[in-house]
């Protein structure tokens, strides 16, 4: 490849480390993707159908589940195809499209978790002003800002990366990553690094906001009764767990991108790289469905009605 040229495709070389495990990996990942879709769709349907759940916190959780479907759709279909394929080439436009999907999913996850943390902060620390502060219009504004923010943050970096001359086309990962594409550059990436560092600060700012918000909530809880502390804990625990899970997943991905872990353990490198696109989309709906009583109650109600309808169908078929 000539210096300063743009490759027509990239090779995702990490698939070579899967070897004969690709068929079991395909079955496992297909089932995992099915569970992710099913679990998130259930939460979305429950919140959409039940008017009692048309409250700010549940609307934000619904948006979080939609984002899980969005991020999974940007990764799993291509990944499953590559698992069964003998070649693992991805075109330049498809690679940068995948980068945008995955990174916008991650950024939106952070902004939406910030919105949920703010909602819980107002509910716990300013309960008398909650309905005045978390109005329908404000929730719409928060959701719109959460969608627009990732696009504004990621676009400059994506444009710089797309126009950077490249001298290679091997990416040691199972999906495209911006940092690994830049490592193929023929020229200095100083400007890209400066812009990336600045944008990383704006992206990780929500992490600090969420951590600060829950710290304030915990400090307020210390002053309350044991009953009030338990109630707050039940309300906030799913959010804290999902936030901690995503923060750890993001940290693992950043570490993997900056250090060549695949040289020491290729299999571990694949597992760690998949964590932030696989674990949060499946943990989030399970955590909210199990721990939040209102969602759990409505899910059980729907399951009971479905079971009853199936039983009636069997009875009717036998009757005829």
């Amino acid at each position: 490849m000539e210096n300063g040229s743009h490759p027509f495709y990239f090779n995702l070389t990490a698939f070579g480390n899967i070897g004969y495990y690709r068929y079991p990996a395909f079955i496992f990942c297909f089932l995992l993707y099915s569970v992710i879709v099913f679990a998130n769709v259930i939460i979305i349907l429950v919140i959409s159908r039940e008017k009692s759940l048309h409250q700010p916190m549940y609307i934000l959780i619904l948006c979080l589940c939609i984002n899980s479907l969005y991020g999974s759709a940007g990764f799993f279909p291509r990944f499953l195809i590559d698992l069964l394929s003998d070649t693992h080439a991805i075109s330049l436009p498809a690679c940068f499209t995948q980068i945008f999907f995955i990174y916008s999913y991650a950024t939106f996850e952070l902004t939406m978790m910030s919105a949920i943390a703010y909602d819980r902060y107002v509910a716990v620390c300013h309960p008398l002003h909650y309905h005045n502060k978390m109005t329908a219009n404000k929730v719409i504004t928060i959701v719109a800002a959460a969608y627009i923010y990732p696009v504004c943050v990621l676009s400059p970096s994506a444009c710089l990366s797309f126009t950077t001359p490249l001298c290679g086309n091997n990416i040691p990962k199972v999906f495209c990553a911006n940092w690994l594409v830049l490592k193929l550059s023929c020229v200095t990436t100083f400007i890209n690094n400066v812009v990336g560092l600045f944008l990383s600060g704006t992206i990780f700012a929500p992490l600090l906001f969420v951590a600060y918000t829950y710290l304030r909530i915990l400090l307020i809880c210390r002053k309350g009764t044991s009953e009030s502390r338990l109630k707050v804990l039940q309300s906030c625990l799913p959010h804290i767990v999902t936030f901690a899970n995503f923060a750890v997943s993001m940290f693992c991905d950043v570490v993997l991108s900056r250090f060549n872990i695949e040289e020491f353990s290729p299999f571990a490198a694949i597992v760690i790289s998949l964590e932030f696109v696989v674990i949060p989309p499946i943990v989030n709906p399970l955590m909210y469905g199990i721990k939040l009583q209102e969602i759990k109650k409505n899910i059980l109600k729907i399951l009971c009605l479905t079971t009853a309808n199936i039983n009636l169908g069997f009875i009717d078929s036998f009757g005829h």
Side-chain angles (χ1 to χ4, degrees):
M1 187 179 295
E2 298 179 1
N3 287 346
S5 64
H6 286 279
F8 293 110
Y9 64 91
F10 294 102
N11 289 315
L12 301 174
T13 60
F15 280 102
N17 299 323
I18 298 176
Y20 295 108
Y21 296 106
R22 62 178 180 169
Y23 295 112
F26 173 83
I27 295 171
F28 175 76
C29 291
F30 178 78
L31 293 174
L32 186 64
Y33 184 41
S34 301
V35 172
I36 288 172
V37 172
F38 177 77
N40 283 282
V41 167
I42 285 291
I43 299 294
I44 291 169
L45 289 176
V46 166
I47 295 174
S48 301
R49 290 180 55 179
E50 295 297 327
K51 290 185 178 180
S52 62
L53 299 180
H54 292 178
Q55 301 173 28
M57 182 182 75
Y58 298 111
I59 297 299
L60 296 175
I61 291 172
L62 181 146
C63 293
L64 203 61
C65 291
I66 291 174
N67 186 54
S68 293
L69 293 177
Y70 166 78
S72 300
F75 168 72
F76 271 102
R78 173 82 203 192
F79 177 68
L80 292 171
I81 291 170
D82 282 332
L83 278 174
L84 297 181
S85 177
D86 293 325
T87 59
H88 308 110
I90 182 170
S91 67
L92 184 71
C95 182
F96 280 97
T97 300
Q98 188 179 58
I99 287 173
F100 184 81
F101 261 86
I102 291 175
Y103 282 66
S104 59
Y105 146 76
T107 310
F108 180 75
E109 193 89 354
L110 287 174
T111 54
M112 193 49 56
M113 285 183 179
S114 300
I116 293 174
Y118 174 74
D119 172 81
R120 291 299 84 204
Y121 170 76
V122 175
V124 173
C125 302
H126 304 281
L128 298 179
H129 303 285
Y130 179 77
H131 293 291
N132 293 329
K133 291 188 174 184
M134 295 300 294
T135 61
N137 288 335
K138 189 161 187 177
V139 173
I140 292 171
T141 303
I142 289 172
V143 172
Y147 274 111
I148 295 169
Y149 181 77
V151 177
C152 296
V153 168
L154 296 172
S155 294
S157 180
C159 290
L160 280 172
S161 299
F162 192 77
T163 56
T164 299
L166 304 174
C167 289
N169 66 342
N170 289 333
I171 297 176
K173 209 168 186 177
V174 292
F175 60 89
C176 289
N178 190 57
W179 173 250
L180 295 177
V181 171
L182 288 179
K183 287 174 74 172
L184 301 173
S185 173
C186 304
V187 298
T188 178
T189 57
F190 175 76
I191 296 176
N192 301 70
N193 292 337
V194 171
V195 172
L197 188 63
F198 171 76
L199 294 178
S200 295
T202 60
I203 288 173
F204 283 97
L207 281 175
L208 297 176
F209 175 78
V210 174
Y212 168 78
T213 303
Y214 286 127
L215 181 61
R216 287 290 305 273
I217 291 174
L218 291 174
L219 291 174
I220 292 292
C221 286
R222 289 180 60 189
K223 302 176 182 178
T225 63
S226 58
E227 185 180 348
S228 64
R229 285 199 297 267
L230 180 61
K231 186 177 180 180
V232 170
L233 185 63
Q234 288 176 339
S235 174
C236 294
L237 183 61
H239 308 302
I240 295 173
V241 171
T242 54
F243 164 68
N245 171 58
F246 188 75
V248 171
S249 301
M250 285 288 292
F251 174 77
C252 291
D253 184 67
V254 170
V255 169
L256 179 65
S257 298
R258 294 300 186 268
F259 302 99
N260 297 323
I261 297 179
E262 63 275 359
E263 294 180 2
F264 303 99
S265 177
F267 183 76
I270 293 172
V271 172
I272 294 172
S273 70
L274 293 178
E275 189 174 358
F276 95 102
V277 291
V278 172
I279 303 301
I282 195 169
V283 168
N284 291 357
L286 293 178
M287 183 58 60
Y288 290 126
I290 293 171
K291 289 296 182 181
L292 293 181
Q293 291 301 318
E294 287 299 316
I295 293 180
K296 181 180 179 181
K297 181 176 67 177
N298 283 287
I299 289 175
L300 293 174
K301 184 170 72 173
I302 290 174
L303 290 176
C304 289
L305 287 173
T306 304
T307 304
N309 289 333
I310 292 172
N311 290 335
L312 285 173
F314 276 118
I315 293 170
D316 290 340
S317 63
F318 279 116
H320 290 294

